[in-house]
């Protein structure tokens, strides 16, 4: 489907941007600038329409991008936006921003998880659970909680597409092994490139 294809394209561009930002030592700056652009796109639907428009030429979009962003963002990010525009992919900027944030979290060893609870947990309790899971899988866990009063057993945790319940400890050990192997595979793949 085109949504999946756009997601893959977004991932390709966001991965390239992360590599450029890492090489330049500008990861935090680029991440902050992308967050600001994301907010701007969300608040200004006409800007998103302009960027996604096939009616105006790539050159006209180039001029608009330069005019809007020139003094507001780093040269690295401006050059990246212009390249994405010339490839006629600037309309997918919102997707690229989301993908960049996910890749950056992954790079920093941060993993997001969802906790489904029968009764809302205090922030301190939530923090303890997140740290406990993080210790077992060797990552920093950001835990979001969702209250489902009909839930029997009090707590269900999803990390990605994996459900953690029942024998939590053994599942977390398996997940840590999986993450470690995935990290080793990724490192090997990078060595081969």
């Amino acid at each position: 489907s085109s949504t999946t294809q756009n997601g893959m394209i977004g991932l390709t561009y966001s991965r390239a941007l992360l590599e450029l930002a890492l090489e330049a030592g500008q990861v935090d700056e680029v991440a902050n600038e992308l967050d600001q652009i994301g907010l701007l796109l969300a608040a200004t639907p006409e800007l998103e329409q302009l960027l996604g428009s096939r009616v105006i030429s790539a050159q006209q979009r180039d001029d608009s991008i330069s005019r809007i962003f020139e003094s507001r963002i780093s040269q690295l990010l401006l050059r990246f936006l212009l390249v994405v525009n010339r490839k006629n992919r600037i309309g997918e900027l919102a997707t690229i921003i989301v993908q960049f944030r996910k890749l950056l979290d992954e790079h920093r060893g941060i993993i997001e998880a969802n906790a489904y609870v029968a009764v809302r947990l205090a922030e301190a309790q939530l923090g303890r659970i997140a740290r406990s899971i993080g210790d077992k899988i060797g990552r920093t866990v950001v835990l979001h909680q969702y209250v489902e009063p009909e839930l029997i057993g009090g707590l269900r945790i999803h990390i990605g597409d994996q459900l953690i319940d029942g024998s939590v400890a053994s599942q977390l050990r398996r997940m840590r092994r999986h993450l470690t192997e995935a990290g080793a595979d990724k490192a090997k793949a990078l060595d081969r490139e």
Side-chain angles (χ1 to χ4, degrees):
S1 76
S2 69
T3 308
T4 310
Q5 188 184 1
N6 288 354
M8 290 307 294
I9 290 163
L11 188 59
T12 302
Y13 282 104
S14 54
R15 189 171 281 132
L17 179 59
L18 181 57
E19 285 168 14
L20 288 169
L22 285 167
E23 280 169 25
Q26 290 181 265
V27 174
D28 290 337
E29 185 182 354
V30 167
N32 289 336
E33 290 171 351
L34 278 179
D35 286 346
Q36 295 304 312
I37 292 173
L39 291 171
L40 183 64
L41 289 176
T44 325
E46 56 273 23
L47 175 61
E48 198 161 11
Q49 285 165 356
L50 168 80
L51 295 178
S53 171
R54 296 292 171 116
V55 177
I56 60 174
S57 70
Q59 184 56 58
Q60 288 170 307
R61 282 196 309 265
D62 254 18
D63 295 344
S64 296
I65 290 165
S66 294
R67 235 188 359 266
I68 294 165
F69 296 115
E70 186 104 51
S71 58
R72 294 195 173 114
I73 60 175
S74 60
Q75 281 302 301
L76 185 152
L77 186 54
L78 181 61
R79 280 195 309 272
F80 173 80
L81 293 180
L82 294 172
V83 167
V84 171
N85 177 51
R86 284 168 201 148
K87 301 274 189 191
N88 276 320
R89 295 297 182 185
I90 198 73
E92 288 147 44
L93 186 55
T95 305
I96 292 170
I97 293 170
V98 169
Q99 298 282 14
F100 180 88
R101 184 48 73 188
K102 284 183 183 166
L103 286 173
L104 184 56
D105 283 350
E106 198 178 291
H107 172 76
R108 290 177 169 163
I110 297 169
I111 196 164
E112 296 208 16
N114 296 325
Y116 298 87
V117 294
V119 179
R120 181 165 290 283
L121 300 172
E123 287 304 313
Q125 286 174 294
L126 202 63
R128 276 198 299 278
I129 293 169
R131 278 191 300 281
S132 170
I133 294 168
D135 290 347
K136 289 185 176 71
I137 64 173
R139 294 282 187 97
T140 301
V141 174
V142 176
L143 196 55
H144 308 283
Q145 72 171 314
Y146 301 91
V147 178
E148 291 185 354
E150 68 281 4
L151 198 63
I152 309 291
L155 176 67
R156 200 175 72 226
I157 296 171
H158 287 264
I159 301 177
D161 57 1
Q162 296 194 29
L163 170 65
I164 307 291
D165 61 3
S167 60
V168 174
S170 64
Q171 283 181 291
L172 289 171
R173 275 196 300 276
R174 269 201 310 279
M175 184 175 280
R176 180 178 195 148
R177 224 177 18 250
H178 171 73
L179 288 169
T180 305
E181 286 163 10
D185 289 348
K186 197 172 278 181
K188 281 183 209 147
L190 288 173
D191 285 345
R192 282 197 299 272
E193 284 176 6

